[in-house]
């Protein structure tokens, strides 16, 4: 039998339910309601993970003219899209010298992948060599347009500076490099500053991810100290968003942000949390009329962040932006939704890393592909409806 105690104050009665666990239940219900915008929960597919590990294929490097085992050291940080009911994974692969190239693997079930023997995007003797050599081509993200052309944002690393790049394709195999995303913006003002991790705003549907305009422009979240935004009319040439006159940054600038202080930070780091040291865009941002959901990566420093996560841990977060004003943050999870827990995530080239980059709705569920310890690739799934 439940016990109630009543207090009467004139015509007002206050009912107090004397159950020791009621406050916890109400808190859980409130949290569920507050976070109903988020894509949760994700469950790691540990019976299959890691789904892709380093390979031994040889490749004649066009710059050195030498045969290299281009994916023998590490494979990680994949982009994902569906074509003809097939999962296409474009992933970062490293050779023993540390040069990165982008490989291609395909799957019909999301778990078992067959890889191409040659990379599909790599440093070459072309107009992008100065940006891509010797570090390589890294960390792709992908969307399609309404006509079926694919747009890949990726990072070029020359050994000192990272630059956000764009490449296009109609078949996911043959790619045309379009050059640095910010080359033309503000007369080249942001060409030679650190930029990477471009997550274009897109509409997700079964088996497709299509870039979506907001107020007549395409939008992209990018960056890996803080997260900034940029707009485009063609998905190739992008203009970073600068702060309006009189606006100040929401947090003190750190790291690479010192070199671009005019940019408007749309997602800052947070003291005391898993994303205290760095935030970095994840897969293509998810557009809906109720908001733009961004899955992102956060890096932790216990001294200023989550004291329960090891130094340098990469865990996964989610944020929601205004669908009509993509720089306005509406909601943000207070806690990570995925962190390193498995041996293949805890130990590797960089320890304690779950780094999300690929997301797709396939076979009536969400598939989230991510790099583990900068060494292998894994997947987690979520049964929340589209």
């Amino acid at each position: 039998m439940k016990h109630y105690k009543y207090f009467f104050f004139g015509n007002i009665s206050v009912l107090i339910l004397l159950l020791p666990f009621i406050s916890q239940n109400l808190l859980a219900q409130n949290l569920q309601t507050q976070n109903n915008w988020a894509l949760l929960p994700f469950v790691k597919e540990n019976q299959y993970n890691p789904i892709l590990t380093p390979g031994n294929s040889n490749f004649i490097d066009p710059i050195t003219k030498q045969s290299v085992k281009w994916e023998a050291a590490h494979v990680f940080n994949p982009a994902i899209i569906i074509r003809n009911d097939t999962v296409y994974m474009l992933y970062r692969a490293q050779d023993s010298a540390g040069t990165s190239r982008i490989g291609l693997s395909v799957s019909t079930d999301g778990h078992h992948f067959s890889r191409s023997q040659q990379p599909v995007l790599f440093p070459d003797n072309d107009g992008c060599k100065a940006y891509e050599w010797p570090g390589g081509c890294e960390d792709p993200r992908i969307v399609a347009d309404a006509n079926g052309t694919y747009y890949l944002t990726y990072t070029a690393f020359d050994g000192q500076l990272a630059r956000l790049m764009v490449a296009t394709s109609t078949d996911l195999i043959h790619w045309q490099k379009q050059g640095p995303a910010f080359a033309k913006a503000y007369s080249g003002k942001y060409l030679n500053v650190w930029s990477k991790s471009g997550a274009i705003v897109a509409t997700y549907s079964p088996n497709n991810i299509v870039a979506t305009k907001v107020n007549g422009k395409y939008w992209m979240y990018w960056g890996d100290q803080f997260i900034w935004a940029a707009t485009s009319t063609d998905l190739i040439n992008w203009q970073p968003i600068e702060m309006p006159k009189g606006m100040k940054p929401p947090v003190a600038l750190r790291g690479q942000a010192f070199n671009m202080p005019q940019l408007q930070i749309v997602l800052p780091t947070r003291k005391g949390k898993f994303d205290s040291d760095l935030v970095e865009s994840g897969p293509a941002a998810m557009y809906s009329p109720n908001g733009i959901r961004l899955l992102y990566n956060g890096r932790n420093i216990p001294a200023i962040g989550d004291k329960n996560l090891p130094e340098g841990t990469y865990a996964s977060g989610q944020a929601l932006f205004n669908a009509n004003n993509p720089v306005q943050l509406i909601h943000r999870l207070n806690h990570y939704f995925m962190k390193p827990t498995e041996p293949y995530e805890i130990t590797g080239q960089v320890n304690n890393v779950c780094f999300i980059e690929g997301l797709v709705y396939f076979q009536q569920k969400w598939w989230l592909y991510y790099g583990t310890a900068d060494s292998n690739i894994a997947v987690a799934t979520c049964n929340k409806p589209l």
Side-chain angles (χ1 to χ4, degrees):
M1 179 178 178
K2 296 179 180 178
H3 299 279
Y4 300 87
K5 183 175 181 181
Y6 292 87
F7 294 93
F8 294 92
F9 301 94
N11 294 327
I12 302 174
S13 65
V14 179
L15 173 63
I16 301 177
L17 181 59
L18 301 178
L19 291 174
F21 54 84
I22 188 64
S23 60
Q24 296 181 11
N25 288 345
L26 288 174
L27 177 60
Q29 293 173 12
N30 287 337
L31 288 174
Q32 180 68 27
T33 301
Q34 293 169 8
N35 294 332
N36 61 6
W37 58 269
L39 188 58
L40 297 169
F42 277 94
V43 177
K44 296 173 183 177
E45 301 278 304
N46 283 329
Q47 65 269 43
Y48 302 103
N49 288 337
I51 58 169
L52 202 71
T53 58
N56 290 312
S57 298
N58 289 300
F59 168 70
I60 303 299
D61 183 85
I63 297 176
T64 65
K65 311 299 183 185
Q66 301 295 313
S67 177
V68 295
K69 292 186 180 298
W70 61 279
E71 57 175 349
H74 311 100
V75 295
F76 53 118
N77 296 3
I80 297 289
I81 202 160
I82 308 297
R83 177 179 170 86
N84 299 328
D85 296 319
T86 299
V87 181
Y88 281 72
M89 175 192 290
L90 293 137
Y91 61 94
R92 177 180 175 182
Q94 280 184 328
D95 62 25
S96 59
T99 298
S100 294
R101 300 171 181 87
I102 294 176
L104 175 67
S105 59
V106 298
S107 172
T108 56
D109 66 2
H111 292 128
H112 302 92
F113 282 82
S114 175
R115 69 182 91 204
S116 299
Q117 297 302 300
Q118 304 289 300
V120 296
L121 192 68
F122 48 85
D124 203 342
N125 293 303
D126 55 26
C128 293
K129 178 181 177 181
Y131 308 125
E132 298 175 351
W133 186 257
C137 304
E138 307 175 354
D139 298 358
R141 283 118 170 129
I142 192 168
V143 298
D145 69 10
N147 298 316
T149 296
Y150 299 99
Y151 294 80
L152 196 74
T153 59
Y154 68 99
T155 301
F157 187 55
D158 62 11
Q160 294 184 325
L161 186 64
R163 292 179 179 87
L164 184 61
M165 310 286 282
V166 179
T168 56
S169 175
T170 57
D171 62 6
L172 298 171
I173 300 170
H174 304 93
W175 290 90
Q176 177 66 44
K177 296 177 183 178
Q178 302 292 343
F182 301 149
K184 297 180 180 179
Y186 305 103
S187 301
K189 179 180 180 179
Y190 293 104
L191 174 60
N192 294 316
V193 297
W194 188 276
S195 61
K196 60 184 302 190
S197 307
I200 295 171
V201 174
T203 299
Y204 284 70
S205 61
N207 297 353
N208 213 354
I209 309 170
V210 178
T212 301
K213 288 184 175 180
V214 178
N215 299 326
K217 294 181 179 180
Y218 296 108
W219 288 76
M220 174 174 67
Y221 298 102
W222 64 278
D224 74 330
Q225 179 69 68
F226 307 114
I227 292 178
W228 296 277
T231 61
S232 174
T233 58
D234 60 6
L235 292 170
I236 293 174
N237 299 290
W238 293 86
Q239 180 164 306
I241 301 295
E242 294 188 336
M243 289 187 294
K245 186 176 180 179
M247 177 180 283
K248 295 182 179 180
V251 292
L253 299 185
R254 301 173 61 233
Q256 296 294 335
F258 282 119
N259 298 319
M260 34 194 172
Q262 300 94 342
L263 293 182
Q264 183 174 345
I265 298 170
V266 299
L267 195 74
T269 52
R270 297 182 291 184
K271 291 183 179 180
K273 298 190 180 298
F274 72 96
D275 46 13
S276 58
D277 181 47
L278 174 151
V279 288
E280 184 168 355
S281 306
M286 308 169 67
Y287 175 84
S288 80
N290 297 321
I292 300 169
R293 185 192 294 125
L294 178 68
L295 279 61
Y296 69 93
N297 301 284
R299 189 172 69 193
N300 183 61
I301 292 180
I304 60 173
D306 188 331
K307 299 186 184 305
N308 296 314
L309 293 177
E311 185 84 17
T313 294
Y314 275 86
S316 310
Q318 297 188 35
L320 188 70
F321 294 88
N322 189 322
N324 297 310
N325 182 13
V327 299
Q328 182 185 0
L329 181 63
I330 301 174
H331 295 294
R332 186 175 184 178
L333 291 183
N334 284 323
H335 200 261
Y336 51 80
F337 70 90
M338 189 166 69
K339 70 170 183 175
T341 58
E342 308 305 315
Y344 57 85
E345 300 165 342
I346 293 172
T347 303
Q349 179 181 198
V350 180
N351 293 339
N352 297 301
V353 173
C354 289
F355 195 90
I356 58 174
E357 275 195 38
L359 179 70
V360 71
Y361 192 78
F362 176 64
Q363 296 181 345
Q364 298 184 322
K365 62 181 177 181
W366 294 97
W367 300 68
L368 180 63
Y369 293 84
Y370 61 101
T372 69
D374 282 11
S375 299
N376 299 291
I377 293 171
V379 64
T381 57
C382 172
N383 289 321
K384 188 171 183 176
L386 182 67

